[in-house]
Amino acid sequence: MARTMNPPAVQPPTEYETISVKTLTPHIGAEVRGVDLSEPLSPAQVADIRRAWADWQVLVFRDQQLDREQHKAFGRHFGTLHVHPMNHFRDGDPEILVVKTTADSPYTAGEAWHTDVSCEAIPPMGSMLYITETPEVGGGDTLYADMYLAYELLSEPMKRFLTGLTAIHDGGMPYVGNYKSTPPEGGYPRTEHPVVARHPDTGRPLLYVNSGFTTRIEGLTKAESRAVLDMLFDHIATNPRLWCRVNWEPGTLTFWDNRCTQHHAVWDYWPHSRYGERVSVVGDEALQPY
Ligand code: SIN
């Protein structure tokens, strides 16, 4: 397959003091070894995980045995825990999002390329999904796509065109349109974000529109907006060069950066079941344009 001449988004190798990493691809995804997330983490361990997260965007921790409090304690090292807007009508711990699919499920959560809850003004910057049941026949992987590289691989004229534009992200589209949930009073959040944003930690430009939530590019006609969004969604959904793939085992926790990645849960295991719980951490600030 022909490759474009854009520079590869390969990270310089970083030395970590307390962990080792085994990368999944040259640009996104790494398995982290040498840390037990059920134990209190030292400042050096937290600093290493933060650096590895900035370097690799998606971190996979294998063979973890966590209860809910330990899962949440891991999340709190990185920020305030997020309450998902769909949890408003559910019983249970509001800081835990249950991700459960059975033969009777009308849908599986996250089965479209998206970044979590981007309809909020300050969306969760990171999510930690802990899977405890996987389909015994295999399947149920999650794909992650690198939004730094998605931006880099656009042509220079397209980058210039998109930079400075904003887009609407509407929670009603997935939560009512797809999941048929009853909205809270006042409706699900709807907000505007830059189409090309600057990552607050790394300073790098990233593409910030996703097919799960983004409904409209401001300032374009309806037809222009649809055409540009469809082109960008196809760029992400049809370009395996952007992706890494996480194959779950019971006891795997994956911690991803929602600002510079998107993910897609693959529902290829019906009528089998899969179960996990997700904790997310809120960002410090709204994403700024690049
Ligand atoms: C999600 O957080 O969107 C769910 C991802 C998954 O189940 O793999």
Side-chain angles (χ1 to χ4, degrees):
M1 190 199 294
R3 293 281 184 245
T4 71
M5 295 307 288
N6 302 63
V10 175
Q11 307 285 334
T14 305
E15 294 294 321
Y16 308 106
E17 258 180 62
T18 64
I19 55 172
S20 61
V21 304
K22 180 173 183 298
T23 58
L24 302 184
T25 75
H27 59 95
I28 181 173
E31 285 201 13
V32 176
R33 292 164 182 182
V35 60
D36 177 352
L37 302 181
S38 69
E39 298 288 335
L41 299 182
S42 68
Q45 285 175 308
V46 174
D48 272 348
I49 293 170
R50 269 187 187 279
R51 283 196 300 144
W53 195 51
D55 289 344
W56 295 104
Q57 311 160 48
V58 175
L59 300 181
V60 182
F61 301 81
R62 300 282 183 197
D63 303 320
Q64 303 293 325
Q65 296 295 325
L66 301 179
D67 62 27
R68 281 188 172 169
E69 287 312 311
Q70 290 163 331
H71 188 179
K72 294 200 303 181
F74 176 59
R76 285 196 194 97
H77 283 294
F78 303 92
T80 304
L81 299 191
H82 176 257
V83 176
H84 195 283
M86 278 180 72
N87 271 354
H88 73 93
F89 60 85
R90 292 179 175 141
D91 294 335
D93 186 328
E95 293 170 335
I96 295 279
L97 183 76
V98 170
V99 175
K100 176 180 178 180
T101 306
T102 68
D104 299 327
S105 299
Y107 62 85
T108 193
E111 201 196 9
W113 281 105
H114 70 287
T115 183
D116 295 329
V117 203
S118 68
C119 55
E120 291 186 339
I122 305 185
M125 67 173 182
S127 295
M128 294 108 173
L129 178 61
Y130 178 52
I131 292 282
T132 49
E133 181 187 347
T134 53
E136 64 268 28
V137 290
D141 294 353
T142 305
L143 301 173
Y144 292 86
D146 178 344
M147 290 303 109
Y148 295 131
L149 188 57
Y151 173 75
E152 265 180 51
L153 293 181
L154 296 171
S155 67
E156 293 305 319
M158 182 53 67
K159 286 178 187 164
R160 283 197 293 277
F161 170 70
L162 296 174
T163 302
L165 295 177
T166 60
I168 302 296
H169 296 235
D170 189 345
M173 181 163 71
Y175 303 143
V176 181
N178 300 342
Y179 299 169
K180 312 292 178 217
S181 75
T182 306
E185 214 178 302
Y188 282 115
R190 183 175 184 277
T191 195
E192 198 171 324
H193 292 295
V195 171
V196 180
R198 179 188 300 277
H199 194 287
D201 300 333
T202 65
R204 295 174 66 192
L206 56 94
L207 184 61
Y208 198 73
V209 291
N210 70 84
S211 64
F213 290 94
T214 313
T215 53
R216 180 78 197 252
I217 298 182
E218 290 286 68
L220 304 188
T221 66
K222 199 172 168 194
E224 288 168 344
S225 166
R226 189 70 271 146
V228 173
L229 285 177
D230 284 346
M231 180 275 292
L232 294 172
F233 297 161
D234 280 356
H235 174 56
I236 294 158
T238 63
N239 195 347
R241 184 176 167 190
L242 300 177
W243 310 341
C244 72
R245 185 174 193 110
V246 173
N247 172 248
W248 302 87
E249 291 155 4
T252 301
L253 181 144
T254 299
F255 176 24
W256 63 86
D257 188 328
N258 276 307
R259 299 160 297 187
C260 54
T261 68
Q262 295 188 15
H263 56 284
H264 169 90
V266 182
W267 194 10
D268 54 359
Y269 51 89
W270 189 90
H272 297 271
S273 301
R274 179 175 179 269
Y275 184 88
E277 297 189 351
R278 195 180 89 194
V279 165
S280 296
V281 286
V282 286
D284 302 324
E285 52 178 338
L287 280 174
Q288 299 300 315
Y290 182 69

